[in-house]
């Protein structure tokens, strides 16, 4: 009788675990989406910084050319 109770308990635990899997999958998907957003924001910021660097370099070159 004890073995049946133990097996029943294990089966219930497995059912609960299986029922939680979709929630965990959704949670992982949400975390992945947040990470993707952060990466996209970082890339956008990097692009802006590169463009600003180019603009400053161009301005510096123009100033030097005017001095000559």
């Amino acid at each position: 009788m004890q073995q049946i109770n133990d097996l029943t308990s294990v089966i219930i635990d497995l059912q609960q675990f299986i029922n939680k899997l979709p929630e965990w999958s959704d949670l992982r998907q949400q975390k992945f989406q947040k990470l993707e957003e952060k990466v996209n924001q970082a890339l956008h910021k990097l692009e802006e910084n590169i463009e600003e660097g180019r603009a400053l370099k161009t301005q510096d070159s123009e100033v030097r050319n005017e001095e000559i």
Side-chain angles (χ1 to χ4, degrees), residues 11-65:
I11 290 171
I12 290 172
D13 288 345
L14 283 173
Q15 284 176 329
Q16 290 173 349
F17 174 77
I18 290 169
N19 289 337
K20 292 283 183 183
L21 287 176
E23 292 176 31
W24 291 340
S25 176
D26 290 344
L27 185 61
R28 286 184 64 191
Q29 183 64 29
Q30 288 173 358
K31 286 184 178 182
F32 177 74
Q33 287 173 341
K34 287 180 182 179
L35 177 61
E36 186 177 28
E37 288 173 14
K38 287 181 180 181
V39 168
N40 288 335
Q41 289 172 353
L43 287 173
H44 182 70
K45 197 171 197 175
L46 179 61
E47 284 179 12
E48 288 177 349
N49 288 341
I50 289 172
E51 289 300 319
E52 287 175 9
R54 286 182 184 158
L56 290 174
K57 207 173 195 181
T58 302
Q59 287 175 353
D60 189 39
S61 294
E62 290 172 357
V63 168
R64 285 185 186 161
N65 289 338

